[in-house]
Amino acid sequence: MGRSALRRVFCMSLGCSKNTADSEKIAGTLSDYGFEMVGDAASADIAIVNTCGFIRSAVEENIAAILGLAELKSEGRLKLVGVVGCLVARYGSELKRDMPEVDFWAGCDDIGSILESTGARGARFAASPRRERLPGDISHVRYLKISDGCDNKCSYCAIPSIKGPMCSRPAGDIVREAEALAGDGAAEICLVAQDLTAYGSDTGLHGGLTSLLDALETSLPRDIWLRLLYLQPSGVGRALLERVAGGTQVLPYLDIPIQHSSPEILKLMNRGASSRKLAGIFETARSIRPDFALRTTCMVGFPGETRSHFASLMRFLEKICFDRVGAFAFSPEEGTAAANMPRRVSERAKQARLAKLMSLQEEVSLSRQTLFVGRELDVMIDSVSAGGIAEGRSFREAYDVDGVVELAGVPEGIAPGGKIRAIMTGAYPHDMEARFRSFREVGVRT
Ligand code: SF4
């Protein structure tokens, strides 16, 4: 059976939300060529894995997924297996040598070669490929990639070597894509990149992110939610904080990874933002808007981290009181400067520090959550169960990253993506409890 006869495609999207956006472009383009996107490998002719390759655990998970599909192929249940994306960019030559069972390899944005490899006829495709949700994915929360690559040189990170320098997408393309997502049922659009704050810096556009937000807020429906994910602290200033705080569709939610707060460790990490700068960002944010939802990410056990460095990080978290903290232990990544740094921290000490940090943050998060009990907030519905029970999120919770709002008393007929007003009735470290208050008036947000 020739490749052109193979029509059903399963796309497995691994890794981050930026990959989700790329996978949807692969799906949209293949559908435009008459392929049918299916929700599982067992009912497909072709399986494409859009991979992640930035840390060792992801590399291992991705290789296991590829081998799983190769096995389906060896059983005759799949005809073609293709691997695209970051893992190919990072380990392409080794993988091609070691995995002959894979039929084609490509960069995640190399749509032309994916079309060729799948036997698509008449290889012409749009400069801005159409996006199509993968089967089974939700429709009301979508990711909008505004740039790719990164110019920062954090010493532990392999992404610049995988993705190359930062490259901003044209604002017009981004706005058109956002409008298409809204037209496709998106109620919340999350802006993603390795570093949102750098948007436009490669094209000489000063304050690029702010002007992009202006364009998006002007062109999108007033009740759409815009959420910013991955703001690198070195690019965050008062102007941006005020812009986000004063947005109509932009949510007062800031995801700013600090990784650490000790001056020595920040220097070793080459983070480009001092401890004083970090404190200044969050204190300014809270002075502008005390209920700003602040999320950050921390790394413990970086080479050279002493107990006192770790203690200073714990004090910083206690002082700033983030609403949400994601944390992980340092993992030496091949090809990064940090992989060869001396004074490694033992795995045991790393895990002990991680546990201590997450236990502290449970208390801090609970104290932040408790401030919202009794407040009435807009809540977007993510899922509805029987008996007026539903799960949703307010501006304070990012989908699939933070906690949820457990709702009671929700009237029948509300669908995922719908927005209501709810009274917060209970607080837990990650989740809130709330009761339906009223349907939300379009265009009015608190
Ligand atoms: S900002 Fe740093 S951690 Fe993030 S992608 Fe760029 S180099 Fe990696």
Side-chain angles (χ1 to χ4, degrees):
M1 185 193 285
R3 286 194 180 190
S4 59
L6 306 177
R7 305 321 292 169
R8 293 167 304 164
V9 179
F10 167 62
C11 183
M12 182 190 279
S13 190
L14 299 173
C16 66
S17 50
K18 297 170 278 291
N19 258 17
T20 307
D22 291 337
S23 300
E24 292 187 1
K25 287 190 176 158
I26 295 170
T29 306
L30 289 171
S31 290
D32 289 348
Y33 279 84
F35 290 90
E36 181 200 351
M37 301 306 296
V38 296
D40 63 279
S43 54
D45 304 311
I46 304 170
I48 298 175
V49 192
N50 188 9
T51 58
C52 169
F54 95 111
I55 48 173
R56 198 181 318 160
S57 56
V59 171
E60 288 159 6
E61 182 206 328
N62 282 243
I63 288 174
I66 298 166
L67 291 173
L69 293 172
E71 192 165 328
L72 280 180
K73 187 184 144 197
S74 68
E75 294 162 3
R77 297 164 65 193
L78 268 178
K79 303 294 182 290
L80 280 186
V81 173
V83 176
V84 307
C86 295
L87 192 65
V88 182
R90 190 169 185 191
Y91 294 119
S93 49
E94 297 95 318
L95 290 170
K96 285 173 190 164
R97 183 194 60 220
D98 301 341
M99 299 181 98
E101 57 270 52
V102 171
D103 299 285
F104 63 88
W105 306 82
C108 60
D109 47 10
D110 188 358
I111 302 251
S113 112
I114 295 171
L115 286 171
E116 215 172 298
S117 305
T118 51
R121 293 250 175 83
R124 70 203 175 312
F125 52 92
S128 264
R130 183 179 68 80
R131 284 184 54 174
E132 181 173 308
R133 245 174 322 113
L134 300 182
D137 282 5
I138 62 165
S139 63
H140 64 284
V141 180
R142 304 291 290 276
Y143 300 96
L144 181 63
K145 193 164 88 167
I146 70 169
S147 69
D148 214 349
C150 188
D151 294 337
N152 300 318
K153 296 277 179 283
C154 304
S155 61
Y156 52 84
C157 182
I159 292 175
S161 67
I162 296 172
K163 290 281 188 177
M166 201 278 297
C167 178
S168 303
R169 295 181 59 205
D173 287 2
I174 296 171
V175 171
R176 276 187 293 280
E177 192 171 305
E179 289 167 339
L181 294 176
D184 187 34
E188 177 176 344
I189 295 177
C190 303
L191 274 63
V192 293
Q194 273 77 30
D195 181 2
L196 288 178
T197 65
Y199 180 73
S201 60
D202 56 325
T203 57
L205 190 59
H206 182 67
L209 180 58
T210 301
S211 57
L212 180 64
L213 294 178
D214 295 346
L216 287 167
E217 289 203 322
T218 308
S219 72
L220 290 171
R222 276 184 70 79
D223 66 341
I224 214 152
W225 284 2
L226 289 173
R227 195 183 296 271
L228 307 185
L229 301 178
Y230 316 108
L231 295 160
Q232 291 309 324
S234 50
V236 177
R238 187 175 191 97
L240 180 61
L241 294 172
E242 285 173 344
R243 177 64 185 79
V244 176
T248 48
Q249 291 105 311
V250 179
L251 297 172
Y253 177 96
L254 295 169
D255 170 25
I256 305 178
I258 61 168
Q259 305 306 1
H260 215 286
S261 64
S262 131
E264 295 82 17
I265 301 298
L266 286 169
K267 197 154 184 288
L268 288 169
M269 287 178 165
N270 194 30
R271 285 291 289 161
S274 69
S275 185
R276 180 184 290 219
K277 159 92 182 176
L278 295 178
I281 290 170
F282 302 111
E283 284 155 7
T284 306
R286 284 270 154 81
S287 71
I288 294 168
R289 208 184 149 135
D291 65 353
F292 244 133
L294 302 181
R295 156 171 268 279
T296 197
T297 309
C298 297
M299 181 192 291
V300 300
F302 192 79
E305 186 191 60
T306 62
R307 283 203 197 94
S308 103
H309 292 138
F310 176 66
S312 77
L313 175 59
M314 294 287 273
R315 286 194 299 275
F316 188 86
L317 295 177
E318 270 178 313
K319 186 174 107 185
I320 302 296
C321 273
F322 290 97
D323 299 76
R324 325 260 166 202
V325 171
F328 53 101
F330 169 75
S331 130
E333 284 308 317
E334 201 183 331
T336 65
N340 306 314
M341 284 184 185
R343 295 186 297 143
R344 285 284 181 87
V345 178
S346 74
E347 200 48 42
R348 197 158 150 216
K350 279 193 233 177
Q351 295 310 322
R353 287 174 192 175
L354 196 54
K356 215 170 166 191
L357 187 151
M358 292 317 285
S359 148
L360 167 76
Q361 188 52 36
E362 287 251 324
E363 294 165 27
V364 171
S365 290
L366 180 57
S367 70
R368 288 290 306 166
Q369 301 272 80
T370 308
L371 296 173
F372 289 83
V373 174
R375 272 193 59 176
E376 193 178 302
L377 296 177
D378 290 343
V379 172
M380 178 186 299
I381 304 292
D382 289 322
S383 62
V384 183
S385 326
I389 303 296
E391 210 172 73
R393 289 164 301 109
S394 72
F395 73 87
R396 306 184 58 244
E397 295 92 9
Y399 183 77
D400 218 16
V401 176
D402 300 322
V404 296
V405 178
E406 304 283 1
L407 289 153
V410 177
E412 286 204 6
I414 294 203
K419 298 178 188 118
I420 61 165
R421 304 281 295 160
I423 296 276
M424 303 295 123
T425 54
Y428 300 89
H430 304 298
D431 303 328
M432 296 292 287
E433 268 175 4
R435 173 157 286 283
F436 171 81
R437 162 58 64 88
S438 65
F439 290 102
R440 190 173 155 279
E441 281 172 52
V442 172
V444 180
R445 190 195 77 213
T446 49

